[in-house]
DNA sequence: CGCCTTCGTTGCGCGGCACGACATACTGGG
DNA sequence: CCCAGTATGTCGTGCCGCGCAACGAAGGCG
C-alpha cells in the first residue's frame, strides 16, 4: 500500500533503466544476461543500454570470449566516470573516500584528529577534504553526491543525527550542514545500516534477500537488516538497533544507559581485559585472540557468545533471515568459535526459522563503511533516472 | 465489438489496475481521489475503472456529492460479487467464512469438533463446509480462492505446515490437501501474520506503514510485521514469531521447549490462575480481569506486562515501527494498564526509536482471522490482474 | 569450409498514457 | 431562477516504450 507515488513521465522506461543500472552496479553482465534477468526483449535491452551509455553511466566491453557457442554478447559494466564521495566521522579520525559505480574504492583519505571532533569541526574537515579531492578528480570523474556513515542514530530522509553517543553529538543537522559546506547533495545514515548494505551487495551477504548484519565496533554494537531484497528502514530509518536488545535481566549498563542489553554484555573491552591488552588494532586483536589459550579468555569468549546468540536468535525469530553476517570484533568471535555461535542460535530459535540460516563473518574489512556510505548517493542516482 | 484476441494487459496496465483495486479494497474512493492518489490522468482513471467494472470487480455509485464545488465524482467501490472463502482450524472448532472485497464478512460458520482435529479431519470438515456454502452462494457470488489461517508455522509459498503445536500437526501439506479436496486455489499462512494484515488494513493499524501486531492466544503468542507499507515475510514467510523471543535467562518452558521466552512468561493461563478461574471466554475474561482488585491479580498482571515490554522494546529497537497493536488477551492487558506497557517499552527502547510509537489494542475482535485469511486470495486476485 | 547456434539490429505494430477540447453537473451569488 | 465559476467525465489525437519477426553478424564445431 505504499502508493502515493508522484508520477514522473516515462515511469516504465525509468524503472527499466534503474533495474539495468542497479544490476550492472552489483556485477557486470552481458546484454544477454540482462535480457534473461529482466525478461525484456533483446531489442529493448539494446536501446536501454544505449541510453545508459549516452548518459555516461555505462560502457560496453567487447571482451567477452567466454567460449560460449553463438555470437558473443558484449559485457555491460558501469562507467568509471561517476563517483560517490563518502565520509565516516569517528572518534579519532575522519575518513573521506571516493567510490565508483560497481563498488570499487578509488581513494580513501583518513584524516586524523587530535580530539573527538565536534560537528562543526567534522563538517569543516570534511568540506576541506572534499574540495581537495574534488580538485584532483576534476575532469576525470563526476561526483554524484556525498554519503555519510555516522556511528549513531540518524533520521533517514534528512540525515539529521538524533544521537551519536560515541562522538557526543545530539540532535544536529549534520546532513544539512555538510550539504551547505560542500555544495554536494548529501545523504546520511547509521554506519551499521550502511555496512549491512555493503556486505549485502559486495560482501558476505551477496545473493541473500533476507540478511541480518551485526557489527561489533569499539564503542558498541549496531546492525542493519535487508528483508525481501531491500533494506529495511522502519518508520524513521532507524531499524536494526540490535545492540540495545535485551538479552538478560539486570547486568551492567550500555551506552544508552540500559541494563542487560547485547552491547552491555558483549563488547571488545571485555575481551581486551581478558587478554590483558590495553588496546589493539583489529587485526592484531584477532591474531592475539586466536592464539590465546588462557582459560580466562576462553571463558570470556564463551560468556559473550552465549549472550550474542540470544540476540541473534531473537532476530531470527522476528525476521526469518536466510543469512547472518558478523562484522567487527564479532567477526573475530566467529573466527574463534563459529560452531558455538551456530549451535547457540539454533538452540534459541525455532527450528523452522533456523532452518537454512547461514552465519558468516564479514568480508569487506576496512572498506566496509566507505562502500556502504557510497551506496546512498549511488542508489539515489540509480533510482533517480 | 468483441475483441477476438484475448487482451494481455501490459505490465504497466496491470500494475495500475492493481493499485486501483487495492485502494478501493481498503476503502472506497471517488474517481478524483484516485487521480490524486495515483498521479494518473483523469482519462486514464476512467478507462481503468471501466476495465475493472467490466471484469465485475468494481462498481460505480452515483454518490450524492459531499457538498463539494464542481461536478461530483462517482464513488468507486469493490463489487460484492467476488468473495474469498476462509478457514481457521482450531483445537475445538473449524471456522469457515466468506469475505467480500472491501473486508466485509458475509458469513462465518463455526463447526465445533469433539476432539483436536487431525489434518485429514480438518480437510474433510473444511471441504464439506466449503461445498455447502458454495452452493448457497452460487449465482450471487464468485469464489476467488480459499485462505487458511493456521495457528502454527506455515511455509509461505506453498502453505506447508511445518509445526502447529496446538493442533499437533507437523510437516503436513495442508495447503495442497485443501486444494485437492475443495478444488479451489488455496493459500495458507500463520494466523498471527494474517491477523496483522487484517488489523493493518481494516483495524487498529490503519494508516501506519510500519506496524507490529502481537496476538495473545490461548496457546501462545504470535506476531506479524508490516514494514514499509508491505507485510514482512522473511526468507520462508515465517517472520514475526515474537512469542519465542527470549525475555529472561532461565524460567519455564514454552510450547517449543525453550526457556524464558515471551510466551513462557506471558500467558492467559497465569492470569486465569490468579483470577481463580478454570476457564473463560475472551469477553468474560476481560470483564472479570478489569473488575478484579485482588493483589495477586495485580501482581501477576504487572509481572506479565514487565516481560511483555521487554519483547516489545526489542522489536521496537530492531524494526522501528510506528505502531504496535495488541490483540487477544494482550489486548486485555492493555485495557488493564496501557500506561504501564507504554512506560515499560519506553524505558527499554532507544529514545529516537520509541519516539512516536503508538501502542493500541486491536479492533477487529472475532472477525480478525476471517478477514486476515481472506486477505490471501484477495491479494492474489489484486496482484494477478 | 559450411552448418548451427546465439545474439545484435532494424522496421513495424500495438497498447498505454498524457494532453487538449468539449460536455456535464453541482455550488453560490445576484 | 439564471448565470458565472469550478471540478470532473469523455473523446480524439499523438507520443513513447515495448514486443515481434526477419535479417545480419560472430563465433563454435565437425
Amino acid at each position: 500500500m505504499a502508493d502515493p507515488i508522484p508520477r514522473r513521465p516515462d515511469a516504465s522506461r525509468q524503472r527499466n533503466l534503474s533495474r539495468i543500472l542497479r544490476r550492472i552496479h552489483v556485477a557486470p553482465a552481458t546484454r544477454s544476461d540482462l535480457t534473461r534477468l529482466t525478461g525484456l526483449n533483446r531489442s529493448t535491452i539494446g536501446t536501454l543500454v544505449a541510453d545508459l551509455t549516452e548518459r555516461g553511466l555505462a560502457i560496453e566491453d567487447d571482451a567477452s570470449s567466454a567460449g560460449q557457442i553463438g555470437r558473443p554478447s558484449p559485457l555491460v559494466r558501469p562507467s568509471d566516470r561517476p563517483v560517490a564521495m563518502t565520509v565516516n566521522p569517528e572518534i579519532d579520525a575522519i575518513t573521506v573516500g571516493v567510490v565508483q559505480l560497481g563498488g570499487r574504492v578509488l581513494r580513501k583519505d583518513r584524516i586524523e584528529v587530535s580530539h573527538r571532533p565536534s560537528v562543526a569541526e567534522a563538517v569543516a574537515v570534511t568540506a576541506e577534504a572534499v574540495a581537495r579531492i574534488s580538485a584532483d578528480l576534476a575532469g576525470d570523474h563526476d561526483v554524484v553526491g556525498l554519503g555519510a556513515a555516522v556511528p549513531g542514530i540518524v533520521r533517514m530522509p534528512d540525515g539529521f543525527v538524533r544521537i551519536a553517543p560515541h562522538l557526543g553529538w545530539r540532535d544536529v543537522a549534520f546532513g544539512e550542514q555538510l550539504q551547505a559546506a560542500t555544495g554536494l547533495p548529501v545523504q546520511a545514515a547509521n554506519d551499521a545500516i550502511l555496512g549491512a548494505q555493503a556486505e549485502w551487495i559486495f560482501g558476505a551477504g551477496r545473493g541473500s534477500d533476507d540478511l541480518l548484519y551485526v557489527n561489533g565496533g569499539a564503542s558498541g554494537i549496531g546492525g542493519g537488516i535487508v528483508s525481501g531484497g531491500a533494506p529495511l528502514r522502519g518508520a524513521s530509518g532507524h531499524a536494526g538497533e540490535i545492540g540495545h536488545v535485551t538479552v538478560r535481566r539486570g547486568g551492567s549498563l550500555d551506552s544508552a544507559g540500559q541494563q542487560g542489553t547485547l552491547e552491555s554484555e558483549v563488547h571488545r573491552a571485555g575481551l581486551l581485559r581478558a587478554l590483558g591488552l590495553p588496546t589493539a588494532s583489529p587485526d592484531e586483536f584477532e591474531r592475539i585472540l586466536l592464539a590465546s589459550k588462557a582459560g580466562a579468555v576462553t571463558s570470556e569468549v564463551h560468556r559473550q557468545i552465549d549472550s550474542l546468540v540470544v540476540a541473534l536468535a531473537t532476530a531470527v525469530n522476528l525476521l526469518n533471515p536466510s543469512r547472518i553476517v558478523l562484522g567487527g570484533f564479532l567477526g573475530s568471535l566467529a573466527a574463534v568459535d563459529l560452531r558455538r555461535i551456530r549451535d547457540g542460535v539454533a538452540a534459541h530459535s525455532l527450528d523452522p526459522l533456523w532452518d537454512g540460516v547461514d552465519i558468516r563473518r564479514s568480508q569487506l574489512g576496512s572498506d566496509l563503511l566507505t562502500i556502504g556510505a557510497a551506496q546512498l548517493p549511488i542508489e539515489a542516482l540509480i533510482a533517480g533516472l
Side-chain angles (χ1 to χ4, degrees), chain A:
Chain A
M1 235 165 23
D3 225 349
I5 300 167
R7 179 175 174 76
R8 281 166 275 159
D10 308 309
S12 148
R13 179 69 158 204
Q14 219 157 357
R15 194 167 144 272
N16 286 332
L17 285 171
S18 296
R19 284 169 70 190
I20 292 182
L21 187 53
R22 193 172 289 117
R23 277 236 103 90
I24 64 175
H25 166 58
V26 171
T30 65
R31 279 212 209 174
S32 60
D33 289 338
L34 293 174
T35 60
R36 270 186 297 273
L37 292 165
T38 62
L40 293 168
N41 193 280
R42 287 211 299 272
S43 56
T44 308
I45 293 294
T47 64
L48 289 169
V49 169
D51 198 341
L52 289 175
T53 309
E54 275 175 27
R55 299 184 196 217
L57 297 172
I59 48 182
E60 289 190 90
D61 262 338
D62 284 345
S64 62
S65 72
Q68 285 278 19
I69 194 169
R71 176 173 176 173
S73 191
L75 193 68
V76 186
R77 29 180 221 89
S79 158
D80 28 4
R81 278 199 69 86
V83 294
M85 302 212 55
T86 67
V87 58
N88 172 223
E90 284 171 308
I91 190 170
D92 54 351
I94 292 171
T95 306
V96 176
V98 178
V99 182
Q100 291 180 320
L101 275 174
R104 202 160 85 85
V105 176
L106 271 192
R107 179 164 171 177
K108 201 168 58 179
D109 287 15
R110 182 180 160 94
I111 299 126
E112 311 263 350
V113 289
S114 57
H115 58 285
R116 203 168 76 164
S118 69
V119 178
E121 288 165 342
V123 169
V125 169
T126 306
E128 200 234 353
V130 165
R132 177 164 37 82
I133 297 175
S134 291
D136 293 352
L137 297 174
D140 295 330
H141 298 283
D142 307 317
V143 178
V144 301
L146 172 60
V150 180
I153 298 182
V154 185
R155 203 165 56 200
M156 204 42 187
D158 57 355
F160 185 90
V161 175
R162 291 297 307 272
I163 298 176
H166 199 204
L167 293 169
W169 299 359
R170 191 184 189 93
D171 289 328
V172 289
F174 184 55
E176 277 181 21
Q177 291 187 37
L178 219 45
Q179 187 148 345
T182 62
L184 292 171
V186 173
Q187 287 176 281
N190 168 270
D191 55 352
I193 289 179
L194 294 175
Q197 291 192 42
E199 288 286 346
W200 171 49
I201 300 177
F202 298 111
R206 229 176 321 188
S208 171
D209 273 354
D210 299 272
L211 173 77
L212 172 68
Y213 172 76
V214 187
N215 185 69
S219 61
I221 293 179
I225 300 162
V226 172
S227 186
L232 187 85
R233 303 171 47 125
S236 29
H238 302 146
E241 281 295 345
I242 196 173
H244 302 274
V245 159
T246 304
V247 295
R248 57 170 292 201
R249 296 288 175 89
S252 43
L253 302 176
D254 68 13
S255 67
Q258 296 186 340
Q259 253 188 330
T261 62
L262 175 60
E263 78 171 35
S264 76
E265 298 293 313
V266 178
H267 37 68
R268 202 159 173 270
L271 296 166
L272 284 172
R273 205 179 308 125
L275 290 166
L277 293 172
T279 180
S281 77
D283 289 347
E284 211 179 359
F285 170 78
E286 178 163 333
R287 192 174 46 73
I288 297 173
L289 184 67
L290 281 170
S292 170
K293 302 286 183 200
V297 172
T298 303
S299 94
E300 176 67 5
V301 165
H302 285 182
R303 191 190 66 75
Q304 295 207 7
I305 286 182
D306 293 348
S307 284
L308 174 63
V309 298
V310 170
L312 295 183
T314 289
V316 167
N317 284 331
L318 268 178
L319 298 166
N320 184 208
S322 59
R323 195 171 303 170
I324 297 175
V325 175
L326 299 174
F329 78 86
L330 298 179
S332 300
L333 282 181
V336 173
D337 199 346
L338 182 54
R339 179 65 179 273
R340 190 183 185 93
I341 296 177
R342 287 195 172 131
D343 291 349
V345 177
H348 285 84
S349 53
L350 292 174
D351 285 352
L353 285 98
W354 165 248
D355 218 37
V357 176
D358 189 6
I359 302 184
R360 305 183 185 181
R361 67 171 305 176
S362 62
Q363 288 180 354
L364 296 181
S366 65
D367 281 345
L368 181 79
L369 292 184
T370 300
I371 294 175
Q375 194 56 24
L376 287 172
I378 287 175
E379 178 55 34
L381 168 73
I382 291 173
L385 256 219

